């Protein structure tokens, strides 16, 4: 791609181009053997016709079908939701073997990150003790525990239950006199983080929703970033303790982490219930604090690939950079997980051809078919996926958005397809069925084993996760300058500084290694952006 001109044709098959700057009406476009003037102004990031279109003509971008003209469009005209509509190629199955050039891994083969090694062979990029409820009825108790623990590990004043934890932290007898509120905090537990999540599920919905939530929460406990967990149950909810334990047993396979489970209806008063939880949890947190970082090969990284608040540069800068990183890690034996199925509509054929087996390809197509059918039942569809912000910044059809979104997974073969809550097993690229909703998708990625999440954004999105560091990658340098408090890495330099994809990809992987080693702390972690929204498997696009 030649980015020295203020216009870009991404693929030789494309019949549209992208404005890399605000272009005035009358701007002289030079393309290959042709030359023409823009018939109207083209805003930064937007697309314009480089040939004349008649109604029903196909629109190609990234070399794939992304839309259809609904009226005549003159060469040099802006493409909008008024003159084109969503259209995709029909897919039946694998049509050709996938051929690609593997990314060079020479410089990365001996590189390591300092992570937390778990008994099952996984390696965490963080060391977290997690508190969560099996049912929303316990949210208040989780919030109470959050206040108590966070005040101890991030001081100010103490309350009765706070005093209990303070005494435990200081090694004092909890049966003694409560400490003064003016006592100084002497916490030295710096090798363990304590995190909390709440939700609105576990009861009142379908049994299937409860079972799905059980699998998701089990995935959080099994995630290598988690050292152990404290789980609160009311006692009468759909998501019974038994169901959660069964889901966890299927993942842990004999390599159990400490998991403390408490049932309020069995324990009695709230104070007695929480006092017991505090005492027992603190004992396990002390043990988890003894786990230290040590070197691990990059093959132990599992990166979640996500985008949110996408713009017209997403598929040109940030998403291909993630694809470069994904290809390198695949070559090293690492894992990457591409989520957001509604944002893969239109590139199914390419993804199917990348699948290593026909059965994996069939599973992907079946999940896509079921999802789109559910959307159609409520009068929606994948073609309604682009948000107002996407459209405003140049992503005007779902297929156009999808073609750019799929670039996050690079070109390596797809080794597995995971339904929602399934845990990643195979090295290489896995596709994970999730909604396009940012938080529902990042929630799912962590539950499927991602120990780092790479999140590209062109408009700015503050999403984070309670257990997995989320690295925010901007598609354009303007966003990095404007919202530097939430952006960690800028891929806009591919355009503004003419940096190569290889150069920027290497720089991002270096940053990932620093985050995985605890050297760099992503902005979402600093801001305590600990978002958690389970997908109820209803339609959420």
């Amino acid at each position: 791609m030649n980015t020295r001109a203020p216009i870009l044709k991404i693929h030789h098959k494309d019949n549209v181009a992208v404005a890399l700057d605000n272009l005035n009406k009358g701007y002289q476009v030079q393309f290959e053997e042709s030359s023409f003037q823009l018939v109207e102004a083209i805003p930064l990031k937007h697309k314009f016709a480089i040939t004349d279109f008649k109604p029903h003509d196909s629109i190609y971008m990234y070399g794939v079908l992304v839309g259809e003209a609904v009226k005549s469009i003159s060469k040099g005209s802006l493409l909008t939701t008024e003159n084109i509509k969503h259209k995709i190629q029909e897919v039946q199955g694998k049509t050709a073997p996938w051929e690609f050039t593997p990314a060079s891994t020479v410089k990365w083969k001996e590189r390591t990150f300092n992570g937390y090694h778990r008994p099952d062979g996984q390696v965490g990029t963080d060391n977290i003790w997690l508190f969560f409820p099996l049912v929303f009825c316990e949210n208040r108790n989780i919030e109470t525990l959050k206040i108590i623990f966070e005040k101890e590990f991030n001081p100010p004043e103490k309350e009765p239950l706070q005093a209990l934890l303070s005494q435990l932290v200081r090694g004092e007898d909890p049966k003694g006199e409560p400490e003064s509120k003016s006592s100084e905090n002497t916490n030295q537990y710096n090798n363990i983080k304590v995190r909390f999540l709440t939700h609105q599920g576990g009861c009142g919905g379908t049994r299937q929703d409860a079972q799905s939530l059980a699998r998701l929460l089990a995935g959080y406990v099994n995630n290598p970033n988690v050292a152990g967990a404290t789980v609160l149950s009311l006692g009468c909810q759909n998501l019974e303790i038994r169901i959660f334990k069964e889901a966890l047993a299927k993942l842990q396979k004999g390599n159990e982490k400490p998991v403390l489970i408490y049932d309020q209806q069995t324990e009695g008063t709230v104070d007695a219930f929480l006092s017991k939880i505090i005492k027992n949890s603190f004992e396990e947190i002390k043990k988890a604090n003894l786990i230290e970082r040590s070197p691990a090969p990059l093959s132990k990284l599992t990166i979640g690939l996500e985008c949110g608040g996408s713009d017209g540069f997403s598929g040109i800068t940030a998403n291909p950079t993630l694809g470069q990183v994904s290809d390198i890690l695949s070559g090293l034996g690492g894992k990457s997980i591409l989520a957001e199925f509604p944002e893969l509509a239109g590139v199914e054929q390419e993804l199917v051809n990348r699948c290593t087996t026909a059965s994996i390809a069939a599973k992907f197509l079946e999940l896509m078919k079921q999802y789109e059918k559910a959307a159609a039942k409520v009068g929606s569809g994948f073609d309604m996926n682009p948000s107002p912000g996407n459209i405003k910044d140049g992503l005007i059809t779902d297929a156009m958005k999808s073609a750019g979104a799929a670039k996050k997974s690079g070109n390596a073969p797809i080794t597995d397809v995971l339904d929602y809550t399934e845990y990643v097993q195979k090295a290489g690229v896995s596709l994970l069925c999730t909604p396009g909703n940012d938080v529902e998708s990042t929630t799912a990625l962590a539950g499927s084993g991602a120990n780092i999440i790479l999140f590209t954004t062109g408009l700015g999105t503050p999403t984070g996760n309670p257990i997995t560091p989320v690295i925010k990658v901007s598609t354009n340098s303007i966003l990095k300058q404007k919202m530097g408090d939430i952006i960690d890495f800028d891929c806009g330099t591919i355009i503004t500084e003419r940096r190569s994809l290889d150069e920027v990809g290497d720089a991002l992987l270096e940053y990932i290694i620093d985050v995985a080693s605890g050297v760099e702390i992503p902005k979402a972690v600093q801001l305590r952006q600990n978002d958690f929204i389970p997908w109820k498997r209803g339609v959420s696009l």
Side-chain angles (χ1 to χ4, degrees):
M1 297 186 301
N2 177 15
T3 56
R4 295 190 177 277
I7 53 179
L8 173 66
K9 178 181 175 181
I10 298 172
H11 190 276
H12 68 86
K13 190 177 177 180
D14 294 355
N15 49 22
V16 300
V18 185
L20 302 181
D21 202 345
N22 291 308
L23 304 178
N24 295 325
K25 178 181 178 180
Y27 177 85
Q28 192 72 29
V29 176
Q30 300 284 345
F31 256 135
E32 295 145 359
E33 305 265 322
S34 67
S35 177
F36 59 91
Q37 289 186 336
L38 296 179
V39 299
E40 58 187 313
I42 310 296
L44 172 73
K45 308 177 189 178
H46 282 257
K47 287 76 184 169
F48 60 92
I50 58 175
T51 188
D52 293 324
F53 292 110
K54 302 187 298 294
H56 308 299
D57 279 354
S58 295
I59 312 291
Y60 287 90
M61 190 173 173
Y62 300 99
V64 299
L65 180 64
V66 298
E68 175 184 82
V70 297
K71 60 176 69 171
S72 295
I73 306 172
S74 300
K75 181 191 300 184
S77 296
L78 177 70
L79 299 186
T80 71
T81 55
E82 301 299 318
N83 58 23
I84 74 169
K85 67 178 182 179
H86 173 78
K87 185 179 180 181
I88 60 175
Q89 178 183 354
E90 290 189 13
V91 187
Q92 299 299 324
K94 285 176 71 72
T95 58
W98 183 251
E99 296 180 1
F100 84 110
T101 302
S104 174
T105 60
V106 175
K107 69 172 74 172
W108 305 104
K109 281 186 176 179
E110 303 303 320
R111 292 294 301 276
T112 61
F113 70 97
N114 284 325
Y116 295 95
H117 293 248
R118 306 301 180 192
D120 62 359
Q122 295 187 98
V123 181
T125 63
D126 213 335
N127 195 36
I128 291 167
W129 188 271
L130 185 63
F131 288 79
F132 62 85
L134 292 182
V135 62
F136 61 83
C137 306
E138 289 298 321
N139 282 349
R140 180 180 179 277
N141 287 329
I142 290 288
E143 293 292 352
T144 299
L145 291 168
K146 180 179 179 180
I147 292 169
I148 292 168
F149 274 86
E150 287 197 341
K151 279 186 178 179
E152 189 57 49
F153 290 95
N154 299 294
E157 49 180 84
K158 314 281 172 66
E159 295 171 3
L161 288 171
Q162 185 67 47
L164 169 61
L165 180 59
S166 297
Q167 290 170 323
L168 291 169
V169 168
R170 293 149 60 102
E172 298 174 3
D173 183 359
K175 296 178 182 178
E177 291 293 321
E179 66 180 34
S180 165
K181 287 187 178 182
S182 62
S183 296
E184 293 184 5
N185 176 64
T186 57
N187 169 43
Q188 295 299 317
Y189 296 92
N190 298 319
N191 203 36
I192 183 74
K193 297 183 178 72
V194 182
R195 297 276 171 76
F196 304 80
L197 63 83
T198 58
H199 56 81
Q200 300 303 313
C203 201
T206 65
R207 292 293 193 273
Q208 289 81 1
D209 283 341
Q211 292 165 352
S212 176
L213 180 58
R215 293 191 299 270
L216 178 67
L217 293 172
Y220 268 62
V221 173
N222 197 62
N223 188 292
N225 294 350
V226 173
T230 298
V231 184
L232 274 60
S233 166
L234 178 60
C236 57
Q237 70 273 0
N238 286 349
L239 204 178
E240 300 173 76
I241 292 174
R242 170 187 59 82
I243 295 173
F244 171 71
K245 284 184 173 180
E246 289 171 356
L248 188 58
K250 289 179 181 178
L251 292 177
Q252 293 196 322
K253 299 175 183 177
N255 296 297
E256 288 84 2
K257 295 177 181 178
V259 179
L260 310 179
I261 304 177
Y262 300 92
D263 186 280
Q264 185 174 358
Q265 291 173 347
T266 300
E267 297 294 340
T269 68
V270 170
D271 270 11
F273 181 51
L274 296 183
S275 293
K276 183 175 182 179
I277 290 170
I278 290 170
K279 292 176 184 177
N280 295 345
S281 297
F282 179 68
E283 287 303 313
E284 292 298 333
I285 289 170
K286 281 199 299 183
K287 296 174 188 176
N289 187 61
L290 299 176
I291 306 170
E292 296 183 349
R293 292 183 183 270
S294 60
L298 300 188
S299 60
K300 293 297 184 179
L301 288 175
T302 300
I303 57 170
L305 305 169
E306 172 74 14
C307 57
S310 299
D311 71 348
F313 284 168
S314 293
I316 298 170
T317 60
N319 290 352
T321 301
L322 265 60
Q324 179 79 358
V325 170
S326 178
D327 281 349
I328 292 171
L329 288 180
S330 291
L332 293 170
K335 303 181 183 75
S336 60
I337 310 172
L338 179 64
E340 303 179 287
F341 270 30
E343 299 188 9
L344 301 180
V347 289
E348 293 99 330
Q349 187 61 67
E350 178 178 305
L351 295 174
V352 162
N353 287 346
R354 283 175 60 188
C355 289
T356 54
T357 68
S359 61
I360 292 172
K363 182 177 180 180
F364 168 59
L365 290 178
E366 182 59 27
L367 287 171
M368 288 287 283
K369 179 180 177 182
Q370 291 174 4
Y371 196 161
E372 190 158 25
K373 185 177 180 181
K377 278 186 177 180
V378 294
S380 190
F382 289 169
D383 60 319
M384 300 174 70
N385 179 260
S387 70
N390 295 151
I391 294 168
K392 181 181 177 182
D393 256 46
L395 296 176
I396 54 178
T397 74
D398 184 65
M400 187 180 290
K401 184 177 179 182
S402 296
K407 297 298 180 186
K408 297 193 298 291
S409 67
N411 295 296
I414 293 167
T415 57
D416 208 357
V417 172
L418 309 172
D419 198 357
Y420 180 65
T421 73
E422 285 189 305
Y423 203 85
V424 66
Q425 301 291 340
K426 297 179 182 179
V429 180
S430 293
L431 304 181
L432 173 64
C433 184
T434 77
N437 177 283
D438 298 342
V439 180
E440 287 176 320
S441 188
T442 52
T443 295
L445 284 166
S448 287
N451 56 9
I452 289 280
I453 293 174
L454 305 181
F455 189 118
T456 67
T457 180
L459 305 178
T461 308
T463 302
N465 184 266
I467 65 169
T468 300
V470 177
I471 297 173
K472 291 295 171 46
V473 180
S474 66
T475 70
N476 63 87
S477 298
I478 294 173
L479 176 62
K480 171 64 174 175
Q481 295 164 7
K482 183 174 67 172
M483 301 181 73
D485 60 326
I486 67 170
I487 300 297
D488 301 296
F489 189 91
D490 178 24
C491 285
T493 55
I494 289 175
I495 292 175
T496 59
E497 299 176 16
R498 313 297 192 244
R499 297 177 74 192
S500 70
L501 184 61
D502 287 345
E503 182 185 0
V504 178
D506 284 356
L508 178 56
L509 185 48
E510 290 286 1
Y511 183 78
I512 291 168
I513 293 170
D514 284 345
V515 170
S517 302
V519 175
E520 292 282 354
I521 309 299
K523 302 294 175 56
V525 177
Q526 295 178 36
L527 295 171
R528 301 186 187 182
Q529 194 77 40
N530 298 324
D531 303 316
F532 179 83
I533 301 180
W535 183 26
K536 292 185 69 175
R537 212 52 185 261
V539 175
S540 180
L541 293 173

